[in-house]
């Protein structure tokens, strides 16, 4: 049974679909923001030239060999950062989005059902494109996919877009939510913190000497689940995460008390179908065929039982290991990642006294939209994008006036 105070807090959130914050400022006086950034009303302002941003790709070495070829897998990280990080020695924090959907997905992977429909991840791609609203972004000569770099690089951040192990240009095979995928994600954070190796296209070692080491993660759906996953490792330089429509327990996503279910109305999809989708057809039917066949066997559609396979993809028991702050975002009408996934996660974070905030909205799968607005008790009104911005500033630049 949930503790009464957490049930009350969650009920308040459900009633108001507002932002709730738990005071969490570290003890002691806050340091002044580093020279170079501009802060107004507790929020960084776009003062760096995005047109002059540095864009680079590195291959980060993981401790894994998921395709069993005798070589440690490397995962791709694409980076955009202010030019001042190279010309003036200006060090910046990082906003990191990891994803299994960057390129080469198998869009028509067959379902084990006659009720074949478009994969929910395909719909997510359309949703993410629709979120590219007018939110004060700049244009650049070099430009990463999406708008994170457009918005945050001018505000004094580096943006890193990672490619999950076994997908896109990264090595290995997809493992869909388990420890291997978690450690593949963590490797990039370790590299940003000076604890892992990375290489450029020529094979030369590369260090992240341009960063403060402070990392914040965000993403929607699977891209939001990866922050939940890696946060449970307690990796030291991951300061905050913003999981949007994210999974906290894959059993609750694909199973329900022993019954086999599917996200939304995508009947027939299961964890192995998702792995094939993210791997791409050539990899799924080629060098990763054995690994995906093992997923098919161990996911157990026959009994639907909770097993070690699902425990490896259940992050709730490990919420007590989370040291990053967490800003949960979820739609109350999300039938893809259902609301129990945020509710269970929120309660476990509360029990562990993890610094946290929640934004609930009346929409479905995805965020509330960049221009969605909430009015706080003090009368101030903030859009979702401003709230996201202030949250990152608070935890990564230590602008302690953020709400």
């Amino acid at each position: 049974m949930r503790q009464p105070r957490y049930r009350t807090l969650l009920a308040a959130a459900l009633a108001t679909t507002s932002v709730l914050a738990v005071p969490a400022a570290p003890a002691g006086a806050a340091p002044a923001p580093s020279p170079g950034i501009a802060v107004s009303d507790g929020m960084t302002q776009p003062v760096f030239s995005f047109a002059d941003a540095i864009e680079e790709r590195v291959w980060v070495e993981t401790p894994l060999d998921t395709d069993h070829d005798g070589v440690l897998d490397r995962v791709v990280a694409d980076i955009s950062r202010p030019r001042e990080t190279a010309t003036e020695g200006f060090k910046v924090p990082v906003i990191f989005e990891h994803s299994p959907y960057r390129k080469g997905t198998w869009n028509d992977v067959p379902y084990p059902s006659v009720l074949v429909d478009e994969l929910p991840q395909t719909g997510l791609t359309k949703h993410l494109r629709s979120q590219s609203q007018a939110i004060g972004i700049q244009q650049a000569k070099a430009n990463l996919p999406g708008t994170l770099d457009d918005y945050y690089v001018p505000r004094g951040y580096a943006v890193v877009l990672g490619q999950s192990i076994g997908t896109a240009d990264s090595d290995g095979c997809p493992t869909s939510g388990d420890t291997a995928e978690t450690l593949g994600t963590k490797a990039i954070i370790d590299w940003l913190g000076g604890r892992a190796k990375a290489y450029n296209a020529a094979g030369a070692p590369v260090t992240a000497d341009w960063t403060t080491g402070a990392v914040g993660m965000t993403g929607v759906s699977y891209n939001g689940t990866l922050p939940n996953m890696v946060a449970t490792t307690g990796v030291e330089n991951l300061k905050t995460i913003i999981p949007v429509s994210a999974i906290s327990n894959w059993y609750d996503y694909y199973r329900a008390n022993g019954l086999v279910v599917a996200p939304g109305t995508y009947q027939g999809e299961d964890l192995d179908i998702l792995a094939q989708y993210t791997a791409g057809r050539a990899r799924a039917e080629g060098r990763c065929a054995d690994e995906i066949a093992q997923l098919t066997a161990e996911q157990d559609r026959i009994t639907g039982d909770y097993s070690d396979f699902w425990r490896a993809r259940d992050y709730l028991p490990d919420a007590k290991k989370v040291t990053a702050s967490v800003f949960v975002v979820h739609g109350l009408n999300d039938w893809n990642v259902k609301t129990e996934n945020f509710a269970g996660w929120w309660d476990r974070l509360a029990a562990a006294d993890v610094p946290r905030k929640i934004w609930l909205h009346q929409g479905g799968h995805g965020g509330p939209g960049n221009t969605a607005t909430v009015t706080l008790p003090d009368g101030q009104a903030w859009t979702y994008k401003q709230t996201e911005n202030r949250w990152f500033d608070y935890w990564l630049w230590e602008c302690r006036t953020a709400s």
Side-chain angles (χ1 to χ4, degrees), residues 4-149:
R5 70 185 183 97
Y6 303 137
R7 184 170 61 241
T8 301
L9 184 57
L10 182 58
L14 292 169
T16 63
T17 64
S18 179
V19 178
L20 297 174
V22 174
S34 298
I37 63 170
V39 179
S40 177
D41 202 10
M43 186 164 61
T44 49
Q45 302 299 311
V47 296
F48 297 92
S49 170
F50 191 40
D52 294 327
I54 296 170
E55 186 174 307
E56 60 189 321
R57 168 172 285 197
V58 300
W59 285 258
V60 178
E61 187 173 272
T62 75
L64 309 162
D65 180 14
T66 56
D67 54 6
H68 309 294
D69 64 355
V71 179
L72 292 179
D73 298 332
R74 295 180 183 180
V75 291
V76 167
D78 290 316
I79 303 162
S80 181
R81 53 188 171 94
R83 180 159 297 277
E84 288 81 355
T85 58
T87 60
E88 299 180 22
F90 181 53
K91 295 184 183 296
V92 297
V94 173
I95 295 175
F96 173 32
E97 182 193 55
H98 208 49
S99 178
Y101 301 140
R102 296 291 179 208
K103 61 181 288 189
T105 54
W106 185 0
N107 291 307
D108 57 352
V109 55
Y111 281 55
S113 169
V114 296
L115 299 175
V116 180
D117 204 341
E118 185 181 67
L119 283 169
Q121 289 76 26
T122 307
L124 172 64
T125 301
K126 296 175 182 175
H127 166 78
L128 292 176
R129 287 173 183 159
S130 72
Q131 289 295 297
S132 299
Q133 303 177 26
I135 51 174
I137 63 174
Q138 299 181 24
Q139 297 301 312
K141 298 172 185 175
N143 199 358
L144 300 181
T147 61
L148 281 175
D149 58 329

Side-chain angles (χ1 to χ4, degrees), residues 189-270:
I189 300 173
D190 284 336
W191 174 67
L192 293 167
R195 300 183 302 278
K197 299 176 182 178
Y199 304 87
N200 63 20
V206 181
T207 61
D209 57 0
W210 42 264
T211 178
T212 63
V215 178
M217 289 190 72
T218 189
V220 178
S221 194
Y222 205 149
N223 299 1
T225 301
L226 289 159
N228 283 347
M229 293 161 59
V230 75
T232 62
T233 69
V235 57
E236 62 186 85
N237 55 309
L238 179 63
K239 302 301 182 182
T240 192
I241 64 172
I242 305 180
V244 182
S245 289
I247 294 168
S248 61
N249 180 353
W250 285 91
Y251 184 86
D252 287 341
Y253 186 69
Y254 282 122
R255 302 288 183 270
N257 298 316
L259 296 176
V260 177
V261 297
T265 57
Y266 306 99
Q267 299 307 310
E269 188 191 294
D270 211 329

Side-chain angles (χ1 to χ4, degrees), residues 136-353:
I137 63 174
Q138 299 181 24
Q139 297 301 312
K141 298 172 185 175
N143 199 358
L144 300 181
T147 61
L148 281 175
D149 58 329
D150 306 61
Y151 186 87
Y152 281 108
V153 172
R155 288 167 167 80
Y157 290 90
V159 169
V160 174
L161 301 186
Q163 299 180 0
S164 290
I165 199 163
T167 73
D169 294 326
S170 291
D171 298 335
C173 294
T175 57
S176 296
D178 72 347
T179 302
E181 189 172 39
T182 301
L183 293 178
T185 309
K186 178 177 177 287
I188 294 178
I189 300 173
D190 284 336
W191 174 67
L192 293 167
R195 300 183 302 278
K197 299 176 182 178
Y199 304 87
N200 63 20
V206 181
T207 61
D209 57 0
W210 42 264
T211 178
T212 63
V215 178
M217 289 190 72
T218 189
V220 178
S221 194
Y222 205 149
N223 299 1
T225 301
L226 289 159
N228 283 347
M229 293 161 59
V230 75
T232 62
T233 69
V235 57
E236 62 186 85
N237 55 309
L238 179 63
K239 302 301 182 182
T240 192
I241 64 172
I242 305 180
V244 182
S245 289
I247 294 168
S248 61
N249 180 353
W250 285 91
Y251 184 86
D252 287 341
Y253 186 69
Y254 282 122
R255 302 288 183 270
N257 298 316
L259 296 176
V260 177
V261 297
T265 57
Y266 306 99
Q267 299 307 310
E269 188 191 294
D270 211 329
L271 198 73
D272 59 337
I273 301 299
L274 180 60
Q276 292 177 71
Y277 174 83
T278 60
R281 185 169 187 173
R283 193 178 331 215
E285 293 186 335
R287 65 182 183 274
C288 294
D290 289 348
E291 285 75 12
I292 290 176
Q294 185 175 357
L295 291 177
T296 302
E298 294 185 0
Q299 69 189 8
D300 182 15
R301 291 175 65 88
I302 304 301
T303 70
D305 287 348
Y306 183 92
S307 61
D308 288 343
F309 175 87
W310 294 110
R311 171 62 187 90
R313 294 161 174 84
D314 179 359
Y315 319 123
L316 296 175
D318 297 320
K320 60 182 178 292
K321 301 177 184 177
V322 174
T323 57
S325 63
V326 182
F327 180 5
V328 175
V329 182
H330 215 101
L332 297 177
N333 292 290
D334 188 345
W335 289 99
N336 187 320
V337 180
K338 294 178 282 294
T339 52
E340 63 186 327
N341 264 280
F342 91 75
W345 185 236
W346 177 264
D347 282 354
R348 295 296 184 100
L349 294 172
D353 289 326

